[in-house]
Amino acid sequence: MASIPANEPATVVDVAEPELGGPSVPRRYGYLAGVWLTVLAFGIVAVLWSRHVGVGFKDPGGRMFSGKITASLSGLVVALVADAAWRWWRTPRGERSVRRTLEDRWSAERLLLLVSGLAAYHFVYFFYRNLKSWDSFNTPRDDWLLRADRNLFGGHSPAVLLHDLLGTHTAAYVLEDIYRSFTYLTASSVVIALVFSRNIRRGYVFLVAAMWTWILGTASYYLIPSLGPFASAPDEFSRLPHTAITDTWAEYLSQRQDFLADPTAPTSFVSISAFASLHTGFTALVCFMAFYYGHKWLGSAVAVYLVAIMVSTIYWGWHFTLDDVAGLLVAAVAVAIGHVMVRPGRT
């Protein structure tokens, strides 16, 4: 786990940091400038690579930016209502005031910081998804990763070993559900961290770490381009039942073929890259940050979920073992960067 000093748990009655007075504006908001400089730098890399490969940015069906940010803002409203209701309920009956609860916790400044952070995060995610798609132009190195997997497991496929150990029926459906549940983790965790952190600056540690998870993940895709075991060793997964995951395999491979045939087509977009596993990386990030915020019970629960995610990625052939190891490393480095950039102990 990243070597970052633990912080005391937040309590329900914590309020936002003072909005007026205190340190100078540059000192109070220097971390926000760092966030947007990161977005700008990653955006410049994406623009330059777009020109290099001759393919423009795409957001097919709004799934990479517009739809994502709309969903985040909707989740933000729900989280804000829940937070305000909980704080109002925890206030002694004779002192309850909806207006005062909102003013104390949700100033215009804090709300602007929330929206700014979400916008920065989704810009990074948009650049990440396009760069991931353009990684299809690089030659996959799955043969090397397949050999590494077998060397680690005495000449055996780790996926086949899991099939033999866990079976290929009930375990397949359970692990399918676990793997697909990851979507809800990425959609909700950033909003939750920003809304329920004691102050917005502490919430930004998670936000920046999440941004860097996608950035470092992008770098890993270009370091070792790969498709994953299901594409490079399909026979190993022939015993598994037909599920939504097997349909997704076919869809992703078809997407890649269509993209390489006509990269400039408006709907041609690729969603497949194996190294590193960001299912593992982002889940590990949530686990590390739960401990960082002092929520040991939550961190322990997510740690169990993390192990299940790692098993599911190998069992269903999405990732090689080294992909999961790399995902853990990505998360640890991202959390460290988030702490250094935001410096939540400063006021």
Side-chain angles (χ1 to χ4, degrees):
M1 191 178 300
S3 57
I4 296 175
N7 287 280
E8 70 279 4
T11 64
V12 174
V13 295
D14 289 331
V15 296
E17 63 273 21
E19 309 297 343
L20 300 174
S24 64
V25 170
R27 186 178 172 190
R28 289 178 65 194
Y29 300 112
Y31 69 94
L32 188 61
V35 168
W36 281 100
L37 284 173
T38 299
V39 175
L40 178 62
F42 194 45
I44 289 172
V45 170
V47 168
L48 292 176
W49 203 253
S50 171
R51 293 180 178 178
H52 173 71
V53 298
V55 181
F57 291 96
K58 301 175 187 177
D59 185 19
R63 296 191 304 274
M64 310 309 156
F65 184 75
S66 58
K68 292 282 187 183
I69 198 166
T70 299
S72 282
L73 291 175
S74 300
L76 177 61
V77 171
V78 173
L80 290 175
V81 171
D83 180 77
W86 176 251
R87 291 172 188 280
W88 178 83
W89 177 257
R90 295 280 294 182
T91 303
R93 186 179 297 273
E95 302 175 15
R96 289 176 182 172
S97 167
V98 173
R99 179 178 178 180
R100 189 172 64 185
T101 298
L102 293 174
E103 288 178 347
D104 287 347
R105 176 68 172 173
W106 298 112
S107 65
E109 175 183 315
R110 186 179 174 104
L111 290 173
L112 284 173
L113 288 169
L114 276 172
V115 174
S116 177
L118 286 176
Y121 173 80
H122 284 290
F123 273 118
V124 165
Y125 185 80
F126 175 68
F127 297 142
Y128 152 77
R129 286 306 304 264
N130 276 272
L131 284 161
K132 181 180 182 179
S133 181
W134 303 332
D135 185 42
S136 299
F137 291 118
N138 297 316
T139 302
R141 299 183 60 190
D142 290 66
D143 289 345
W144 182 83
L145 289 166
L146 281 169
R147 287 196 302 271
D149 258 13
R150 281 152 181 70
N151 290 336
L152 287 171
F153 290 88
H156 300 284
S157 161
V160 173
L161 290 176
L162 284 175
H163 299 163
D164 292 340
L165 176 66
L166 302 176
T168 56
H169 185 70
T170 301
Y173 292 106
V174 170
L175 291 172
E176 176 195 20
D177 290 339
I178 290 171
Y179 183 85
R180 297 178 66 190
S181 68
F182 172 79
T183 301
Y184 303 102
L185 183 73
T186 57
S188 61
S189 57
V190 174
V191 170
I192 289 172
L194 287 173
V195 171
F196 294 102
S197 290
R198 180 168 63 245
N199 59 55
I200 194 68
R201 189 159 185 164
R202 282 167 58 87
Y204 259 74
V205 177
F206 187 105
L207 174 84
V208 173
M211 289 168 54
W212 276 96
T213 297
W214 303 126
I215 294 170
L216 294 171
T218 302
S220 74
Y221 295 157
Y222 282 78
L223 178 65
I224 306 179
S226 57
L227 302 179
F230 82 89
S232 50
D235 291 345
E236 295 180 359
F237 305 93
S238 59
R239 291 189 293 157
L240 296 179
H242 184 94
T243 67
I245 284 185
T246 52
D247 289 338
T248 304
W249 288 347
E251 178 186 357
Y252 282 3
L253 292 176
S254 177
Q255 284 178 352
R256 187 170 185 272
Q257 291 176 349
D258 292 344
F259 177 82
L260 292 175
D262 186 4
T264 60
T267 57
S268 62
F269 202 86
V270 183
S271 299
I272 180 174
S273 281
F275 186 91
S277 168
L278 295 191
H279 268 65
T280 294
F282 202 95
T283 306
L285 162 69
V286 175
C287 179
F288 295 168
M289 290 304 303
F291 283 111
Y292 172 79
Y293 286 128
H295 301 298
K296 295 182 180 179
W297 65 270
L298 178 60
S300 298
V302 179
V304 173
Y305 178 68
L306 170 61
V307 172
I309 282 288
M310 294 172 69
V311 170
S312 72
T313 65
I314 297 172
Y315 182 98
W316 274 104
W318 288 113
H319 289 287
F320 304 96
T321 306
L322 288 182
D323 298 347
D324 284 330
V325 174
L328 294 175
L329 180 61
V330 163
V333 174
V335 171
I337 292 174
H339 186 269
V340 169
M341 283 185 60
V342 178
R343 292 172 292 175
R346 297 186 64 178
T347 55

